[in-house]
Amino acid sequence: MDAKIYHNPRCSTSRTTLAAIRDAGIEPTIVKYLDTGWDREQLAAMFADAGLTPSQAVRTKESLYKELNLAAASDDEILDAMVAHPILVERPFVITDKGTRLARPASAVDEIL
């Protein structure tokens, strides 16, 4: 099975999810999204595949969320902010042949392994 994790090594949930994928015998492609960034179409497709809206996938506890006043923003505005500031995307996202999940909690990844 192919798997890809959009990973932040500083995040404990992301590290736990990566370990769960490996424990299932899968070596995923690891994308350090803070280094690579996102494009709008990629994010929109990933959120749609996961059944989420940008407002459901934004890190509301991130200081930029408050600084940019994203609580009052539309999904399009949030998506634009996520492209400009990759840290705003909740983590980790995992994509396998069985689907796309935001692995929060980490056990949510089990559904697609």
Side-chain angles (χ1 to χ4, degrees), residues 34 37-40 43 64 68 77-89:
L34 293 177
W38 304 99
D39 68 48
R40 197 174 205 286
L43 277 179
L64 268 174
L68 297 173
E77 292 167 327
I78 291 171
L79 198 55
D80 288 339
M82 290 170 155
V83 171
H85 308 282
I87 192 74
L88 287 169
V89 178

Side-chain angles (χ1 to χ4, degrees), residues 22-67:
R22 287 177 169 157
D23 288 347
I26 302 165
E27 185 54 42
T29 300
I30 299 170
V31 179
K32 294 181 181 176
Y33 68 93
L34 293 177
D35 297 336
T36 62
W38 304 99
D39 68 48
R40 197 174 205 286
E41 294 76 24
Q42 172 190 29
L43 277 179
M46 188 172 69
F47 296 158
D49 289 347
L52 298 171
T53 64
S55 58
Q56 293 171 316
V58 67
R59 292 181 53 79
T60 59
K61 294 182 182 176
E62 189 63 44
S63 61
L64 268 174
Y65 180 83
K66 292 173 186 67
E67 290 171 27

